[in-house]
Amino acid sequence: KNINFQITNVNRINFRKDINGLRALAVVSVILYHLDIEYFKGGYLGVDLFFVISGYLISNIIFSELKEDNFSFKKFYIRRARRILPAVLSTIVITFPFALYFLLPLQTVEYLNSILSTLFFFANIYFSKLDFYNAEPTDFMPFLHTWSLGVEEQFYLIFPVLIIFLYRYFKKQLFWLLVSIFIFSIYLNMGSSFLKFYLIQYRFWQLLAGVLVCVLSSKFRIKNLDLIGIPIILLSILNFGDNYILEIEPRIFVTIGTIFVIFSENTTSYFEKFSSLKLINNLGLTSFSLYLLHQPIFAFARIHAYRQNIFIGNISDPNYF
């Protein structure tokens, strides 16, 4: 008898404190990485946590609404716009005066282009054509971090259409078709191009990992699995530095760790209790805003420090400043 992994088993979840705690861990990791804190040399992996979480939460919304036969593309995209656009537009409004003050013409053009690419869902494509993510000039780009938002926005555009198509014509095979796409996306990462850092086809497997967990966890959960998942995530963030930034192995470890936390029976999990702490809870709730604002603040501070000869770096193009 076939294992019945059907998306119609999925019920809408309530707020999960442990997932909010994962958001807190993710955003703190990224911020400390961008601060060049040595012990968080793999903090860039916080973005990978966000991808798995997004896949899980978005699929839960879509699958539960399909189960109730009330899914609407219009409602889905309006909710996404309400979630993303106010925060992005606020970040633009807040940073614009500083950009006019701090940025030279070349930098201003890059800043405006990055704003447009963010608003029109292709920031990851735009930044893939510039210096690589951890190259020194990128430290001075206020909107560099929105590349990950581009990946998520593209996922929001593609995934609902894909699911509705598969649900309508391949309902019984849907789960295994998603598994096949998941495997194919991992396979694409076997190349050496730095584009696999930025582009959605190379990141789709992480988002789908969250989707598959959404389906599987509707059938069963395992107690105390967070006790394995959190150490895996932390060890990855503490150990995999920039020399691993293009490798898939750190992402696999972080994805597995995140899956374990989501799979854990959260009503009894230790990480659930940790995530209930006021500071962790607030970090998770504000993680999107913190993520959007931290890079512009750091970039403008670095530009100011560099011009005051406080910051000394090996910039390949001195005319950039």
Side-chain angles (χ1 to χ4, degrees):
K1 185 178 180 180
N2 291 330
I3 299 174
N4 182 27
F5 290 138
Q6 298 293 330
I7 68 170
T8 49
N9 294 323
V10 175
N11 295 312
R12 187 68 175 269
I13 62 167
N14 295 318
F15 177 79
R16 283 186 57 170
K17 291 181 180 178
D18 55 341
I19 290 180
N20 194 50
L22 284 174
R23 283 200 186 108
L25 176 58
V27 75
V28 169
S29 299
V30 173
I31 291 172
L32 293 178
Y33 172 75
H34 285 154
L35 279 174
D36 295 323
I37 303 297
E38 182 181 355
Y39 294 108
F40 282 77
K41 55 189 175 183
Y44 59 85
L45 291 167
V47 173
D48 301 78
L49 269 77
F50 280 128
F51 286 157
V52 180
I53 293 168
S54 290
Y56 175 78
L57 295 176
I58 292 303
S59 58
N60 180 264
I61 292 170
I62 295 173
F63 294 165
S64 60
E65 290 185 353
L66 283 174
K67 179 180 181 178
E68 300 296 329
D69 196 28
N70 66 350
F71 175 77
S72 162
F73 281 108
K74 180 180 178 181
K75 285 194 301 182
F76 175 82
Y77 290 123
I78 288 175
R79 281 198 302 262
R80 290 300 90 203
R82 286 175 176 170
R83 159 76 173 152
I84 294 171
L85 287 180
V88 172
L89 292 173
S90 297
T91 304
I92 293 169
V93 170
I94 291 169
T95 60
F96 196 77
F98 294 95
L100 292 178
Y101 179 79
F102 283 109
L103 302 183
L104 297 178
L106 173 62
Q107 296 169 313
T108 302
V109 169
E110 287 178 350
Y111 169 76
L112 294 175
N113 284 337
S114 63
I115 286 176
L116 288 174
S117 67
T118 301
L119 291 174
F120 290 97
F121 314 143
F122 66 95
N124 55 328
I125 298 171
Y126 172 71
F127 285 110
S128 73
K129 300 178 187 300
L130 302 179
D131 282 295
F132 186 55
Y133 182 70
N134 61 344
E136 189 144 7
T138 60
D139 286 341
F140 304 92
M141 295 179 182
F143 267 59
L144 171 70
H145 59 321
T146 59
W147 72 269
S148 65
L149 190 57
V151 172
E152 293 207 23
E153 289 167 337
Q154 290 158 20
F155 177 72
Y156 299 153
L157 291 174
I158 295 168
F159 183 69
V161 176
L162 173 66
I163 287 300
I164 297 304
F165 173 78
L166 295 178
Y167 185 74
R168 181 171 296 177
Y169 297 107
F170 303 97
K171 188 174 181 179
K172 291 183 178 180
Q173 300 83 22
L174 193 155
F175 178 82
W176 298 110
L177 288 171
L178 291 177
V179 170
S180 299
I181 299 169
F182 170 83
I183 294 171
F184 180 68
S185 179
I186 291 178
Y187 170 75
L188 291 177
N189 281 270
M190 297 302 107
S192 59
S193 171
F194 75 84
L195 293 177
K196 65 185 181 181
F197 183 85
Y198 287 109
L199 302 187
I200 188 170
Q201 61 265 38
Y202 304 104
R203 295 285 189 164
F204 209 68
W205 69 275
Q206 292 182 286
L207 293 148
L208 281 183
V211 175
L212 297 176
V213 171
C214 178
V215 179
L216 293 171
S217 62
S218 69
K219 298 287 289 182
F220 64 95
R221 302 273 281 281
I222 302 173
K223 288 185 177 181
N224 300 327
L225 205 55
D226 57 307
L227 293 177
I228 304 173
I230 292 299
I232 292 174
I233 294 170
L234 291 176
L235 287 172
S236 300
I237 289 170
L238 296 174
N239 284 286
F240 290 111
D242 279 345
N243 52 323
Y244 286 95
I245 200 167
L246 284 176
E247 305 302 326
I248 195 172
E249 290 83 1
R251 308 189 195 294
I252 290 174
F253 281 118
V254 164
T255 299
I256 290 172
T258 308
I259 286 171
F260 281 2
V261 175
I262 294 174
F263 247 127
S264 186
E265 180 55 65
N266 61 304
T267 55
T268 60
S269 81
Y270 291 96
F271 189 64
E272 170 91 358
K273 295 174 183 176
F274 174 76
S275 301
S276 299
L277 297 174
K278 187 173 182 180
L279 174 62
I280 306 303
N281 182 60
N282 288 338
L283 283 171
L285 292 174
T286 58
S287 59
F288 188 42
S289 297
L290 290 171
Y291 183 80
L292 285 175
L293 284 170
H294 84 278
Q295 175 65 15
I297 292 170
F298 293 172
F300 294 137
R302 286 183 181 119
I303 290 170
H304 175 71
Y306 186 88
R307 290 176 182 158
Q308 299 299 315
N309 294 320
I310 301 170
F311 182 98
I312 304 299
N314 297 315
I315 304 300
S316 58
D317 182 8
N319 295 322
Y320 189 77
F321 295 94

